[in-house]
Each structure stands twice: as structure tokens, then as C-alpha cells.
Amino acid sequence: MVSCLLLQALVAAPATAEGVDGLQRAPVAAVTQDALGQKGDQNAQTALFLPFDAQTGIAAFWSGPDFIVVADQPVPAMMRASGGTGVFSGLTVTVLDHATLLRIPLPQHPALRLSRQKEGWQLQAPEPASLQKKDGQTALAPSAAAGGAVAPASAAASTSAPAPAPATTAAATSASATTTTGAATSASAGSSSPSPSSTVTLSSTGAALAGKPSSGGGGGAASLHTITAQPAPGYVLFPLQQPGHEFELPDPATGARLLIATSRTASGGVAQAQHAVGYSVRPTLEGVVVEADADQIVMQGTAKGAVLHAVSLHPVPVGLPVPEPVTEAARQKDWQWFGLQEASPATLSAEREEKLAALAKASPRQKKAATFAAAQAAFASGAFQKAATLLADMPETTPDSGSASAAGSATQRPEIALRAASALLAGNLKGAQALAAPEWISLLEFHLWQGLYGLYAGQNSQRTAILLAAGFAQAQHYPAPLRDRIAPVMALYIARYGTPATVRMMEPLPDGPAYDLPRALLQAREGKTETARVALENLTASDDAQRAAIARTEIVRLMQDADLIAPDMAADVYRKLLKGENGASPAPADIRTLTAVGLAHALIRNGEPKVALSVLEGLQPSADVPEDVLAEAYRAALYRLVFNGASASLGLPPGSEEELSVTQRTALVAQGLPHVPDGAEKAKLLLGYGRLLLEAGHADTAATAFSQAIAMQADPQARAEGEELLAQAAMQAHQLALAQMALDHAVSPLMPDDLAARKAYDAARVAQARGETEKAQALLAHDESDAGLDLRGQLYEADHHWADAVLVVGRLASRGLPQDGALTEAQRALAFRLATDAAAARDWETLLRLKDWLAGRTLGRERDALFTLLLRQMPRSPASH
């Protein structure tokens, strides 16, 4: 398989030259600010202008036969660009809630150039390499005849006059070669950029690393500046001068999980494919694209670029090996930098007072060191707010402690770590941002603190729970003031959101009242409902107001999940908890989000998704409700709206659904969709939403929803279903080209028979609309569904093939017309249709059989009269015909 891919990459350049040259000579069209256009110059280039502003980052790469450009902002104006011109005529644009996806079919992988212009980006397909000449000779692209791997192309820039291409041979087989004809001639083919800009090319010859071709099928030739991965212990940094955002999408060609980091300025892209355990880095024209085979591989954005690392109890190796931690606590970095020591709380408090007294007497030259020592003593004794205040008065060593290099200097890191940890435990999340810097990944003892930052920041619950569980034993060995502050919070979070594997990391859970609440939640997870209920009841009387408030909320959730109370009763109790009725004090501010989300779920179960959405509106992720848990509440409400309570995957009991029209439901779904993260679950939601829109007659909007769903769906069968639905919507919107493109993309190795039949029917409808009757009939030749027979009958009727029409419509009528009883309007229309077809075919026997079948039943006043006239046309001896 690898050799086939390599051969394909090597032979693509000559084929490309023949395939795109004619298209590149298309007429020049003006380029506007908000649309794509075609440009021409002395080399007859074809170009697309991408109007992405300076705040929008992009990534560009190959995906099978398609070239993909992803922008990290929704740009609705780009929808007008679908269709493109010239070599880019197959362009399709999908605008997602948080990104814009451009897909350009270019199966021959021509050499492409991408440059940053003043008002956007320009994508060009220069003169093919095989047509470029040097010293009067045509320079041919590398051939695969020798079976060798072509090395990645060297840097090329087009900010000045074109430079002559270096001579190459057709049999370039050395893996150490630094240039390829495709890249060199691409650089010489294009004119200088209209304005100073960095330009990069991505040629069809491909980039190989250790003899391995790019997973994307295309290689990279970069400008003088390319993105060079910088491995570090536990992670890899992809430096970007102006990084954009990071997000995840399935590969349009394979469905593989892609982690994408965009760039807001020309970075040169990634020149070579790289392969490692659990992931591979693809060549790009811009930005960073990582194909993640392991779910634990994640990409994180920093001020310096994109960071790739693994979050797991047993992480795969990413970057350089992480040093083994020292076993003696006093020698670990957190103990040293935080000033921790094994001592009693009283001793630690005395140490704090001593350091504060020393600070008061310190000279100006001693002030900074004395302040830091006092802050350490305050932190170790549990006076976190005091430590944060002291550090706030001390000048910072690093101007930007939240940057990716915040932990770069060994002399600065103790101060940065103490500042961030003190701010975090003092409730200042912004001051703790330095803990998000990737450098802490290299220090295993600081994974706990990254987990605590994720907890208080409301980040993804599964990743946060892993970091907290891995550090739970570490927290248990901290001095009592620090341990008692963080360990119960960690235990509660893991008990609530952790997987069974992360929960086991806490076993056995420490004794003491501080762990009674997580212990009760663990009992509930183990199915010990009554034991957990009694424990939570007891905790509602706790002197700790926060603990009592959490217990009151959790006991309602426990009883509802166990079907001990009805959803309407649960909703009523949640409302009272929020208002503080029936003697209960109102839920504290930091618990209100947890209670409100519980109320929303109760309302959803009770068939009130509209009210649930109003409850969720304005809620922000918190320590008790992480971002993914809040998003799940939105998703559940939208599922109820879209599927009207019929979603078995949610386990929802039937409720008294709100009386909402289709228009009201679609409006509510449109408002809530941005709160649901992209992925397979949202794709399923979008498919249902699109069907609702079709029902309401909004075919254009439905097509957009189906396109978005396809872009998020990795499963081939689900994507094929989405493409078929997109074809339906496109036909209703009279967009035949889009419908045909969707049907071409609707492929799956194991396509169900019903989906295959629907696809054939849709293709026949497209052929019918284009006047291709014979093609439509051929597609429907084996379709015996009602819709298929109906369309076949229409085609025969349009061509006046009345005898064939009678046979097809007759089969349809034999299914649809009852032997007795009144006829529906649709049945009356079908009967009259068969009658008119039979009369036109002079098939009197069928007409008489239909008369006998109807047995005097009415077809409607007007149709009855016309049916009588048809009967009068019969000869006196119908049997002779």
C-alpha cells in the first residue's frame, strides 16, 4: 500500500500538467473583497482570492483527491464562492459555527501556491512543471520509473522577480535531494506577489520522511520559513508567529481524526510528513495538521504556537522522554518552589509569621527575596490569599507569565509557579493562566496543578479528571493545610466526572467528613442508591453551606436518575433550591450553575426543552459544570426539539411535549447549535435539524445543515446518508449541480440497500430535471418502491410511452388502492392517473378492470365526469383490442 501511494505521488506531476493547463487559460475575472475570483498573468495562472481578515487563521492541506482550506472563523460571505472557476470550479464551501471549510477537488494534485495578501490570501495553480523551459529545454517532473522516493522540495519565495529553476533529472531517486522540479518550476512560473508576502508551494511529488510518503497524498515545498517541530519532554511545539485557533475535524477523504492549528500570517506550513506513535504530522501549505490515531492525543494553543501532547493515565510518548520524578518529596520541584515542608499546621503558621516579620525589617535590596520567602511560607501554611497579595506587590520577573515561554527560565520558574498556584487557590483564575503553559508538561509533579487549573477553568472534564487522578496520591502527601484545601475538591470532581479507571486511582478514599460527599457519589455510581441517598440527606444538614448546597442538588439528581421522583417534581425541587424556598437557603453563587443544569435536565425529561434552553442561557463553565457537561445539556435539549422526544439514545421517557410548531422548533435549534461542540453527535443533530427544515420548506437552509453534518461525520455510512439528504435538499432548492456532487460523494463500502435505493432514485430525479430520460429510466430499472414507480411513471408519461406508463402506474395502483371503502385524495388522484394513462394507451382492459375495482366509489365530482368520458371512448368490443 505504501509503495502504491509513493508511486502515485511520483507520477502525479506529469499528469497534472496535462490536466490543468487548459483550465489555467480561462478568461480573467475580477476579484472582489467578499468572493473568489480568477486571475491571469503572463504565466496564465489560475487563482482564488480568499477574503480572510488578519484575525482569521487558516490551514491548508491535501485530503485524498481534494485540497482543503480551513479558516478558524465562520465567514458566511464565502458561501457565494461555491462553484469557483477554472481549475477551482469544483470548489464547495461549508460554513460551520466556528470555522469555514473549503474543499477543492483536484485529483491530479497540481502544484499550488499560497500567499498572504493585504486583504486576505491568494491560492494559485501556477504553470505546470512539465511546461516550464530552461535553456530551451522542457523540464519534466520527476518520474517514478526508478522507484525511488523524491525528497521534499526546498524553500522558494516569490517576493521578487522569479529565479531560474535548478536543473533536475527525470530519474531523481536520492532521498537526500533538496529540490524537486515541481517545486523549483513552480517558483519560477509565478510572477512576483502584488505586495510583499510570503508564498509557499505544495507540489504533487510529495514529501517523504525516512522513505514514507505523506498521509495526505501530497508533499510540501516551503518558503524560506517553514514550521519546524520543536520536541520537548512530553510534548511537541509547532511554533507560529501569529497562531490562530485549534479545532478537530474528520478528514474529508478518510474520516481520520485531524487536529488542526491555524496561522493568521504566512508560516510556510509543514514541509515534511512525520510519523510517530499514536499520530502523524501531515505536510501542509499553511498551518499544522496532525492525524491522531490515539484519542489521548490533544492539541493545545499557546501564544507561541500549537502544542501536541497526550493526556492519559498511560500516555503514549510525545516529544522527548519525560524525566523520572525523584522519589524524595523534599527534592521535587513543587516542594522546593512552593516552600513546602513536613511540619504541623502550627509550625507552618509560626514559620509564616517569622517570614512576615523578616519582610517588615528587610532592606530595599533584600525586599524581593524576603517577599518571595514570606509568600512561600504563607502558601505552605494555607494562607493562599496572603501569598497572592504578597506576590502581587513584588515585581514580576517575567512580563508575560501566561505565555508559552513562561516556564522557560530556571530562575523564573519558581516565582511563576508560586504566583500561579497562589492565584488559583485564592480564586484569581486569570492570575493562574501560567499553569496552562505547555512547559509544565515536562514536570510530572505539576500535572496535578494543570489539572486543578482545568477544574477551576471549567475545561474538558475527562482530560481534567485524568490529570487530577494521576496527582491524587501526590496531593495526599502535601502538608495538611495544602492537602486539605485541594484533595477533597479533587476527589469530588473525580467521583462526579471520572471514568472507572480514574476513580480507581483514589482507592481507598481517605476517611473523614471532607470526603463524605465524594464517597456518597461513588456509592451512587456503584448502584448503592439507598446508601447514597441517606448519606446525602445527612450532608444537607452540614455546617458547611457549600457542602450542604451540593448535597441538596445531588440528592435530587440521584432520585431522578433512579426514577424515584418524576421529572416535573424534580424540576419543582430544583427551582425551590435556586430560590431558597421551604426553609432552604438559596444555592451559593458557585453552586447555582450545577443546580441550574440539573433543572434543565429535569425540564428536558419532562418534555419542556424550550424552557430548559432558557435556563441554560447565560450559564458559563465552572468547577462544578465543565464545558463539555454544559454542552451536553444543550445537546439534550436540542435533541428533544429535533426528534420530539423520540431519541432513545438519551433514555428520555415520554413527556407532555411543549406545543411548538416546526418553525418555532427550528428557530430554537438554530439558537442553541453554537453551544454544541463539533463532532459526530452534533452531526446527528444537524441531520435531524435539516429534515425539520425540509419539512418547513426551507431547502436552502436544510442544505447548509446537511453540509455541516457531513463535514463533522467520520463514519463513511453516516456521511453517505448525509450526502443523500443534501442531494434531496439541493434538488428542492433547484441546485442540480450541488445535488449531483452530493450523490457522487455518497459512497460507503457497506451501503444499506435502502440508502442505495434512495441514492438511485435521487440520481434519477437529477437526470430527469436535466432532460436525461434514458439515464433516469436506467437508474430506476430495479426500483420497485412507491417513489421509484411514481417517477418511472412520470418519465414514461412525459415521453408519451403510455403502454409502459400503464404497467408502472398499474403496479403502483395495485398497492395503493383498497378493494373497498372510501378513497383518500391521494388514492383518487392515483386512480384517475391510471385511467388517463390507460385511455392514452388504448388499454381498454385495464380501464374496465379499474372501473370494476372502484365499484362506483367516487373520485371527486370533476374526476368522475372525466372518467365517464374516458369510458365512452372505448370501442363496443373492447376484448378485440
Side-chain angles (χ1 to χ4, degrees):
M1 182 65 179
V2 171
S3 61
C4 293
L5 289 174
L6 186 57
L7 179 62
Q8 179 184 8
L10 291 171
V11 302
T16 299
E18 298 175 3
V20 300
D21 184 53
L23 293 176
Q24 289 175 334
R25 304 181 186 281
V28 177
V31 177
T32 61
Q33 176 65 18
D34 59 355
L36 304 187
Q38 182 174 342
K39 281 188 175 182
D41 57 21
Q42 66 267 34
N43 290 314
Q45 292 182 345
T46 298
L48 292 175
F49 179 73
L50 313 178
F52 300 135
D53 61 27
Q55 300 306 312
T56 302
I58 72 165
F61 57 98
W62 286 105
S63 172
D66 300 333
F67 188 72
I68 307 297
V69 180
V70 179
D72 58 17
Q73 302 285 345
V75 186
M78 291 295 298
M79 291 298 296
R80 286 177 280 176
S82 288
T85 55
V87 70
F88 303 116
S89 60
L91 170 71
T92 57
V93 179
T94 304
V95 179
L96 307 176
D97 288 325
H98 308 290
T100 303
L101 176 65
L102 279 67
R103 183 173 178 178
I104 310 171
L106 297 170
Q108 294 179 324
H109 282 203
L112 298 176
R113 297 160 60 88
L114 185 64
S115 59
R116 188 73 170 98
Q117 307 296 321
K118 182 179 180 181
E119 298 177 340
W121 296 78
Q122 183 165 279
L123 179 66
Q124 296 173 305
E127 189 77 8
S130 62
L131 299 183
Q132 297 300 312
K133 295 184 178 181
K134 179 174 175 60
D135 299 330
Q137 301 296 322
T138 299
L140 298 176
S143 169
V150 179
S154 66
S158 65
T159 57
S160 58
T168 58
T169 65
T173 59
S174 172
S176 62
T178 57
T179 60
T180 63
T181 304
T185 55
S186 294
S188 64
S191 63
S192 59
S193 300
S195 61
S197 61
S198 298
T199 304
V200 293
T201 65
L202 189 64
S203 76
S204 59
T205 54
L209 181 65
K212 297 179 181 180
S214 157
S215 59
S223 69
L224 296 176
H225 303 287
T226 57
I227 302 172
T228 303
Q230 298 178 1
Y235 68 94
V236 175
L237 170 66
F238 297 93
L240 293 167
Q241 185 177 3
Q242 294 186 28
H245 299 289
E246 300 72 35
F247 51 93
E248 179 179 325
L249 281 176
D251 181 10
T254 66
R257 176 174 173 246
L258 299 183
L259 306 178
I260 301 172
T262 62
S263 176
R264 290 181 290 161
T265 189
S267 67
V270 176
Q272 291 183 330
Q274 301 174 33
H275 303 269
V277 177
Y279 71 94
S280 58
V281 183
R282 291 194 177 185
T284 65
L285 208 56
E286 193 54 72
V288 179
V289 177
V290 174
E291 181 175 330
D293 302 321
D295 292 339
Q296 61 178 269
I297 300 293
V298 298
M299 186 175 284
Q300 170 187 341
T302 72
K304 296 296 182 180
V307 170
L308 193 75
H309 61 110
V311 180
S312 172
L313 295 175
H314 307 287
V316 299
V318 177
L320 301 178
V322 179
E324 290 292 330
V326 295
T327 56
E328 186 180 345
R331 295 180 55 202
Q332 293 177 359
K333 294 293 190 295
D334 51 347
W335 281 67
Q336 294 176 8
W337 297 350
F338 294 160
L340 305 180
Q341 53 183 302
E342 295 180 354
S344 67
T347 301
L348 294 173
S349 296
E351 178 80 7
R352 179 188 68 221
E353 296 305 319
E354 180 183 336
K355 296 296 183 182
L356 289 172
L359 173 61
K361 299 176 183 179
S363 65
R365 294 182 61 183
Q366 299 171 329
K367 196 77 172 179
K368 183 170 184 178
T371 300
F372 187 71
Q376 283 183 315
F379 184 87
S381 67
F384 309 113
Q385 185 61 61
K386 181 64 176 178
T389 302
L390 288 168
L391 292 168
D393 295 334
M394 185 181 78
E396 291 189 42
T397 302
T398 304
D400 182 11
S401 62
S403 72
S405 60
S409 170
T411 59
Q412 299 169 1
R413 297 175 88 181
E415 177 188 327
I416 295 168
L418 185 60
R419 281 183 184 274
S422 299
L424 184 68
L425 299 185
N428 178 9
L429 192 61
K430 184 177 180 180
Q433 286 180 343
L435 291 172
E439 284 82 355
W440 305 114
I441 298 171
S442 302
L443 298 175
L444 293 179
E445 55 264 53
F446 278 90
H447 288 189
L448 178 157
W449 291 93
Q450 288 202 308
L452 281 172
Y453 178 79
L455 183 155
Y456 288 109
Q459 294 179 351
N460 181 275
S461 65
Q462 296 305 301
R463 297 171 189 169
T464 300
I466 288 172
L467 294 172
L468 294 176
F472 189 73
Q474 174 187 341
Q476 291 299 311
H477 290 92
Y478 278 155
L482 179 57
R483 178 196 65 211
D484 295 344
R485 172 67 173 82
I486 65 174
V489 176
M490 295 167 62
L492 177 61
Y493 191 96
I494 297 168
R496 186 181 282 150
Y497 300 120
T499 63
T502 55
V503 167
R504 284 194 294 271
M505 298 292 288
M506 298 194 299
E507 295 176 351
L509 199 65
D511 295 328
Y515 297 95
D516 285 345
L517 188 53
R519 187 175 291 107
L521 297 187
L522 290 177
Q523 290 168 344
R525 291 182 57 158
E526 294 169 0
K528 302 174 182 177
T529 304
E530 184 59 22
T531 303
R533 186 192 66 79
V534 172
L536 290 171
E537 284 280 8
N538 292 335
L539 286 168
T540 59
S542 172
D543 294 334
D544 186 325
Q546 184 178 41
R547 190 178 301 170
I550 295 176
R552 283 191 287 268
T553 295
E554 292 290 356
I555 197 171
V556 181
R557 185 175 71 165
L558 170 66
M559 296 179 71
Q560 184 181 356
D561 290 345
D563 290 329
L564 298 176
I565 56 174
D568 58 342
M569 184 181 296
D572 186 55
V573 176
Y574 279 126
R575 287 192 179 101
K576 290 178 179 178
L577 290 176
L578 288 170
K579 296 178 181 178
E581 297 179 359
N582 290 352
S585 58
D590 52 352
I591 307 300
R592 291 185 67 83
T593 302
L594 181 67
T595 309
V597 170
L599 171 59
H601 278 292
L603 291 168
I604 294 167
R605 287 175 175 265
N606 198 46
E608 301 178 79
K610 179 181 178 181
V611 182
L613 288 173
S614 68
V615 171
L616 294 172
E617 186 177 359
L619 296 183
Q620 297 297 323
S622 67
D624 290 294
V625 183
E627 58 188 10
D628 53 317
V629 175
L630 183 58
E632 173 58 24
Y634 272 102
R635 188 183 71 86
L638 298 182
Y639 263 51
R640 192 88 194 204
L641 282 168
V642 168
F643 301 109
N644 201 23
S647 179
S649 64
L650 292 175
L652 300 179
S656 55
E657 298 294 329
E658 296 168 295
E659 294 297 329
L660 299 173
S661 66
V662 172
T663 301
Q664 290 174 316
R665 288 160 63 192
T666 54
L668 288 169
V669 173
Q671 293 173 13
L673 277 171
H675 295 282
V676 181
D678 294 344
E681 293 295 335
K682 186 171 184 176
K684 181 178 179 181
L685 181 60
L686 283 165
L687 291 180
Y689 173 54
R691 288 188 177 99
L692 278 180
L693 290 167
L694 279 181
E695 181 183 339
H698 303 304
D700 287 323
T701 313
T704 299
F706 293 139
S707 297
Q708 291 174 334
I710 295 164
M712 298 176 195
Q713 185 59 261
D715 179 67
Q717 184 172 316
R719 292 167 76 179
E721 181 181 359
E723 296 282 8
E724 191 274 330
L725 288 170
L726 174 58
Q728 290 188 35
M731 281 185 285
Q732 289 192 27
H734 307 292
Q735 299 181 39
L736 296 183
L738 176 60
Q740 185 61 61
M741 184 180 298
L743 292 172
D744 292 340
H745 290 158
V747 293
S748 173
L750 300 173
M751 183 178 292
D753 292 341
D754 60 334
L755 180 57
R758 294 202 307 270
K759 178 183 175 182
Y761 173 74
D762 294 337
R765 289 180 60 197
V766 172
Q768 178 196 29
R770 290 176 168 175
E772 301 170 349
T773 304
E774 291 184 2
K775 178 180 178 181
Q777 289 287 11
L779 289 167
L780 294 172
H782 303 290
D783 189 346
E784 290 296 316
S785 67
D786 287 356
L789 292 173
D790 177 61
L791 183 55
R792 288 170 67 187
Q794 292 179 36
L795 294 170
Y796 284 130
E797 290 163 350
D799 287 345
H800 293 183
H801 294 172
W802 300 113
D804 292 325
V806 170
L807 292 174
V808 172
V809 177
R811 291 206 299 278
L812 192 61
S814 66
R815 300 178 187 174
L817 299 182
Q819 189 170 359
D820 50 36
L823 301 177
T824 65
E825 177 57 29
Q827 291 168 343
R828 293 174 181 179
L830 177 59
F832 186 71
R833 177 184 177 185
L834 177 59
T836 54
D837 288 350
R842 304 185 68 79
D843 186 346
W844 310 121
E845 293 182 3
T846 297
L847 194 60
L848 284 175
R849 284 199 301 271
L850 177 62
K851 175 179 177 293
D852 294 338
W853 185 267
L854 293 175
R857 288 177 290 177
T858 181
L859 301 179
R861 188 171 187 178
E862 183 176 347
R863 291 196 188 103
D864 285 343
L866 292 173
F867 188 59
T868 301
L869 290 176
L870 293 177
L871 291 171
R872 289 176 180 172
Q873 295 177 13
M874 291 191 305
R876 291 185 179 275
S877 302
S880 63
H881 293 274

